[in-house]
Amino acid sequence: MSFRTLWFEDGALHLLDQRRLPARVEIVKARSAAEVAKAIREMVIRGAPAIGCAAAYGLALSADDFDDAREVLLAARPTAVNVRWALERLAKVTPRTFGALKAEADKVLEEDLAACRAIGRFGADLVPDGKGILTHCNAGGLATSGYGTALGVVRAAVASGKKCAVFADETRPWLQGARLTAWELLQDGIPVTLLPDVAAASLLDSGRIGCVVVGADRIARNGDTANKIGTYPLALAAHAAGVPFFVAAPTSTLDPRAATGADIPIEERAAAEVTHLAGQRVAAEGVEVFNPAFDVTPARYISAIVTERGVARPPYTETLTITGALR
Amino acid sequence: MSFRTLWFEDGALHLLDQRRLPARVEIVKARSAAEVAKAIREMVIRGAPAIGCAAAYGLALSADDFDDAREVLLAARPTAVNVRWALERLAKVTPRTFGALKAEADKVLEEDLAACRAIGRFGADLVPDGKGILTHCNAGGLATSGYGTALGVVRAAVASGKKCAVFADETRPWLQGARLTAWELLQDGIPVTLLPDVAAASLLDSGRIGCVVVGADRIARNGDTANKIGTYPLALAAHAAGVPFFVAAPTSTLDPRAATGADIPIEERAAAEVTHLAGQRVAAEGVEVFNPAFDVTPARYISAIVTERGVARPPYTETLTITGALR
């Protein structure tokens, strides 16, 4: 990959500012849990695995104030479970010094990168050769410590010599597909075709797509998967077109406390994400807004869940446990 | 309604410029078929019934050059069949003078308005009381000579005393929902909640929506319906949630030459509609774009088609004919 998403240097967590892409490549430095939490809330960094890594460094940075730091990081974004998972790992570290916690955060990041590469290898085998791959949002190197989950599958499939045209939903309202996925793939020399989310169903019906691959923010024990808003209708459209629908995510995204998708909290975001475009108001004054950031795709529409430990197939209540992917 | 979409005055067709809404209310004047065709292509005016009316006036304005005028108008936008329908009506007028053709165009417009009001009455009976109505794009007074088709159903349901919260998809990429439907309903004092298209499936699953009502650009003999891109995935989501899905359209939208949706041409529009927002580039340079303006919803996902002659239910190959809605 030709960019870095987050790294620790000179006493600060460095974050590639994803609000500025693709127009500008800028770095934000965070030196405390509060600053990391703010960066997560404001989407300087986003993507479940990436914010898990960022939260780990945030907790290390505020080691002297461990419990408060943990709370502020947990509250930053409620849907992705990776933040909780990373913080629970750090809570087991002794002593709770900056050095020990930072070393564990480094491990979280290194393991995430290794997990993405393993997900890529497992997922690449599932990708049909000579057909399109459709993805939603950005489950790429920008959403992880690097390489990506869904885009890790794309990278590994391309690296293995498979010919797959990549199609990216623009992903309203925040346009992660247009702003991030297109930029990220073109940086690596992988051509990509962008489409409005509403056009995905037509594209799937056209026969050009061999599979859909998306990431996940939280996976329940039965396989129900919370991911970026628009994933669920995409799964419905893939199902209607008979196209396989794959979720690619590290096991840190599995939530053993969630029996089904109904147990996953869904974050709602600001109305201005919908009423304004590029800082200009586009919707009439006085309109109300419904703007959930995530939706839940029922397990029955998911053909497989690709983790770093292997590929789980339905019924997920059994296979996620059997493969050891579920702790 | 507190605005006018199109009207003839002082030798010119006057068009409310829908590219400028909701920020500014501006009028564009067209004095020839070529100017009307340009206004249709550039979406000064849009919506299948409205562009049918506009095309009729355009042909009258270029009565001296009837055949060429007809071709340029027919080519303006390929998916909506109402333009062809209106031009075929004018082709039967004798003599082909401005006066006679303009009188027929007036009739096309008046009949469209009457059709919208009838669609509203028939459709209002189908709307569940006390639940939400979800619509896509703008099938309103702005898409017709006035009152609207889908929004005609909304207006009639509200006027009949039914309590229905209105929800509008923003409708990427051109944002007809955000820019036009929200403005149009608020102008009439009808509250509306705007959502990204990707959030419609979650909203439907929430149980808050009693029915979906959309317009149509062309309806095949079997009921397959071409409408704004995003209508088909919305129908899939309504089907999955068990919510009735209604198409509201005048019989001028029925195409007796199209046996199924496969016979309907789908217009593709410019890449810049997706790569740019409010004039600013948002997607990385070098990205390809897939930007179809319409999709086809298979008849099996459509609970009823509401026309000015009554409500057709499946199987549409029989009912559209039996109700006399199909010429």
Side-chain angles (χ1 to χ4, degrees), chain B:
Chain B
M1 282 202 337
S2 45
F3 60 89
R4 283 200 292 174
T5 303
L6 78 167
W7 67 99
F8 199 90
E9 192 178 311
D10 297 335
L13 179 61
H14 289 55
L15 303 166
L16 177 55
D17 190 341
Q18 303 194 21
R19 302 168 304 180
R20 306 285 171 249
L21 290 174
R24 292 190 298 281
V25 175
E26 293 178 6
I27 305 301
V28 166
K29 298 178 188 177
R31 297 176 191 280
S32 68
E35 288 180 13
V36 171
K38 182 168 182 283
I40 292 172
R41 270 197 313 275
E42 297 181 354
M43 297 178 71
V44 172
I45 187 164
R46 26 65 52 201
I51 66 176
C53 294
Y57 285 109
L59 192 53
L61 281 162
S62 293
D64 293 346
D65 201 11
F66 192 93
D67 291 331
D68 285 353
R70 189 177 166 178
E71 289 310 308
V72 74
L73 287 162
L74 262 180
R77 295 200 73 187
T79 300
V81 77
N82 309 61
V83 169
R84 189 180 79 200
W85 171 87
L87 298 179
E88 284 176 358
R89 271 186 62 160
L90 265 66
K92 292 176 191 146
V93 169
T94 52
R96 286 184 179 172
T97 59
F98 168 75
L101 292 169
K102 195 264 185 187
E104 185 69 10
D106 287 340
K107 276 182 65 182
V108 166
L109 185 140
E110 287 156 19
E111 288 173 20
D112 181 64
L113 189 56
C116 287
R117 292 192 175 276
I119 288 167
R121 285 191 298 274
F122 286 121
D125 290 340
L126 304 180
V127 172
D129 195 8
K131 300 208 95 178
I133 303 179
L134 174 59
T135 189
H136 187 70
C137 194
N138 173 270
L142 290 167
T144 60
S145 56
Y147 201 72
T149 51
L151 298 192
V153 173
V154 168
R155 285 191 166 90
V158 169
S160 76
K162 284 188 175 173
K163 297 205 186 314
C164 359
V166 184
F167 291 82
D169 279 354
E170 66 173 7
T171 318
R172 283 287 291 157
W174 214 71
L175 297 170
Q176 288 91 340
R179 299 195 306 100
L180 306 180
T181 295
W183 180 83
E184 170 174 344
L185 291 175
L186 291 170
Q187 290 285 111
D188 278 11
I190 300 173
V192 56
T193 299
L194 187 66
L195 57 145
D197 307 297
V198 284
S202 292
L203 180 65
L204 284 159
D205 263 7
S206 75
R208 297 161 72 188
I209 300 299
C211 66
V212 178
V213 188
V214 299
D217 286 81
R218 192 185 302 211
I219 301 173
R221 290 205 302 278
N222 72 340
D224 288 355
T225 295
N227 190 45
K228 180 53 52 196
I229 189 76
T231 302
Y232 166 47
L234 186 59
L236 289 176
H239 184 76
V243 173
F245 185 91
F246 302 129
V247 169
T251 53
S252 56
T253 308
L254 297 167
D255 183 3
R257 300 185 209 173
T260 73
D263 299 321
I264 302 176
I266 300 297
E267 174 188 6
E268 282 212 38
R269 293 188 63 86
E273 288 187 353
V274 183
T275 54
H276 290 65
L277 282 187
Q280 297 178 32
R281 184 162 192 109
V282 289
E285 296 279 353
V287 75
E288 298 288 318
V289 169
F290 174 62
N291 185 24
F294 304 93
D295 60 24
V296 173
T297 300
R300 64 182 174 280
Y301 298 116
I302 301 170
S303 312
I305 298 175
V306 186
T307 77
E308 76 278 19
R309 301 191 196 175
V311 176
R313 297 274 188 180
Y316 296 110
T317 309
E318 293 172 21
T319 55
L320 288 176
T321 308
I322 287 168
T323 63
L326 189 72
R327 266 90 32 114

